[in-house]
Amino acid sequence: HKDAIYLFPLFAVFLIYNAVKAGLLLRGKKVSFQELLKDPQLRPVFTCLFSRVGALLLSYLFCLPLMIGSFGAGFFTFLYRIYLKPLGGVAFFGRNSLSIFNIFMRNGRELNARFPTVVFVILFAVIITGIVLLVYLSKKNRANLVYLAAYTIFTLGTYFIGFTEFGVLTAVVLFLMSFLLIRDKRILSVMVLLSLPLIVNAATVMASAGFYNTLAEYYVSSQNPAYTGTLILEGALGTTISIICSGIAVLAHLYATVILLDISMSDKRKLLPYAERAGLPDAMKLFFARKK
């Protein structure tokens, strides 16, 4: 998946920074391997590289039974098909996604031959890497990385090509996890602002395609001559819903950007107070309270 691949800059910055930092501390010291593993400040010299290589080999072994019959067992073939091909194999602006392209009525439209897909991929890789460097190196707070991962996927689902109606579903889950770590109540607001258009958009797609029934899959596919549904939101109603939902998602992304700058640059956080015995009415009052 494109969204997962674009999380690599986040992991790379975290691993490389900690490995280099530990390497500088290790310079000039004579320690055994056992002492190195016991020291939490020196341990990343080994664990950062080992964890990355180990995860790559495990993913290769996991995918091997699935790809050996069609593509062979080559390690570099695995790297290409899993980590590179999804970035370049994009044929549409988006298929019912919550992207900015839908506002300009590009939902379901194919990319023409002149579209600079490679430039688009490289540009987003540079942008994501720059955001990760700026956010992490400014405070070096690992708790912000979960929010940053959600923001990265949200950014891709909003401005990148080739996503579907569920492209930002992972971001919703990560926003909830980041709230548990950061406790900024504005993160819940972003999660709600993203969840509502996501649900409406996905439900409209399913209704338009005729998935709300108990018929076999054949009857709700283009292979059936009697099928009258559509898998792409089009027409007056479908296009209107797609534009409105995409517009709300773009606004939610702008709000998420403001929150990202606050929690990573200036520590301006609107924490949700913790009250163990607060009921639902009191909890709602705390959530909508204007005080920080």
Side-chain angles (χ1 to χ4, degrees):
H1 293 282
K2 297 178 291 296
D3 49 349
I5 294 173
Y6 271 104
L7 289 180
F8 280 138
L10 188 149
F11 291 102
V13 169
F14 177 75
L15 293 175
I16 293 174
Y17 172 81
N18 285 277
V20 172
K21 181 181 177 181
L24 293 176
L25 293 175
L26 185 61
R27 183 190 301 177
K29 294 182 179 180
K30 294 182 179 180
V31 295
S32 63
F33 184 70
Q34 290 77 11
E35 293 174 338
L36 185 144
L37 292 180
K38 291 180 180 180
D39 193 331
Q41 293 183 331
L42 302 179
R43 190 186 305 150
V45 172
F46 171 76
T47 56
C48 287
L49 177 62
F50 179 78
S51 61
R52 183 62 263 166
V53 174
L56 188 62
L57 292 177
L58 284 176
S59 61
Y60 169 65
L61 294 176
F62 181 79
C63 295
L64 191 58
L66 303 176
M67 60 182 292
I68 190 171
S70 302
F71 313 112
F75 180 72
F76 292 102
T77 302
F78 157 77
L79 292 179
Y80 169 73
R81 298 197 64 87
I82 300 298
Y83 296 107
L84 296 178
K85 187 177 180 180
L87 297 178
V90 180
F92 297 88
F93 281 98
R95 297 180 66 87
N96 306 314
S97 60
L98 298 176
S99 71
I100 194 172
F101 300 109
N102 292 352
I103 300 177
F104 302 100
M105 304 183 69
R106 295 294 179 185
N107 182 34
R109 301 287 183 88
E110 293 187 10
L111 302 173
N112 57 44
R114 296 183 178 181
F115 189 86
T117 305
V118 177
V119 176
F120 212 71
V121 169
I122 296 175
L123 178 62
F124 264 80
V126 173
I127 292 174
I128 296 301
T129 303
I131 293 174
V132 172
L133 287 171
L134 181 65
V135 171
Y136 182 66
L137 296 182
S138 60
K139 294 293 183 180
K140 304 179 185 63
N141 188 347
R142 288 178 293 178
N144 294 339
L145 291 180
V146 181
Y147 182 85
L148 185 56
Y151 179 82
T152 299
I153 296 175
F154 193 8
T155 301
L156 293 172
T158 306
Y159 298 103
F160 198 66
I161 52 178
F163 275 77
T164 66
E165 63 268 28
F166 293 113
V168 294
L169 184 59
T170 308
V172 175
V173 178
L174 289 174
F175 276 133
L176 179 59
M177 295 175 63
S178 65
F179 166 74
L180 298 177
L181 294 172
I182 301 174
R183 288 182 51 208
D184 192 318
K185 61 183 181 181
R186 294 175 297 175
I187 299 177
L188 292 179
S189 300
V190 172
M191 189 182 71
V192 172
L193 286 174
L194 178 58
S195 299
L196 290 178
L198 175 62
I199 293 173
V200 172
N201 187 73
T204 306
V205 172
M206 295 179 70
S208 176
F211 288 160
Y212 288 142
N213 51 58
T214 57
L215 297 176
E217 185 178 356
Y218 166 77
Y219 294 99
V220 289
S221 67
S222 57
Q223 298 177 357
N224 180 14
Y227 177 67
T228 59
T230 174
L231 299 178
I232 298 293
L233 290 181
E234 53 189 8
L237 180 60
T239 301
T240 301
I241 293 177
S242 177
I243 292 175
I244 292 175
C245 291
S246 299
I248 296 175
V250 171
L251 293 176
H253 182 271
L254 294 177
Y255 188 37
T257 304
V258 174
I259 298 173
L260 178 67
L261 295 175
D262 280 349
I263 65 176
S264 61
M265 302 294 178
S266 59
D267 284 333
K268 293 180 180 179
R269 304 187 181 190
K270 296 183 178 180
L271 300 180
L272 185 64
Y274 177 75
E276 183 178 358
R277 298 183 179 180
L280 181 60
D282 294 333
M284 290 296 99
K285 290 180 181 179
L286 292 174
F287 180 79
F288 290 105
R290 291 183 175 273
K291 62 181 181 179
K292 297 182 179 181

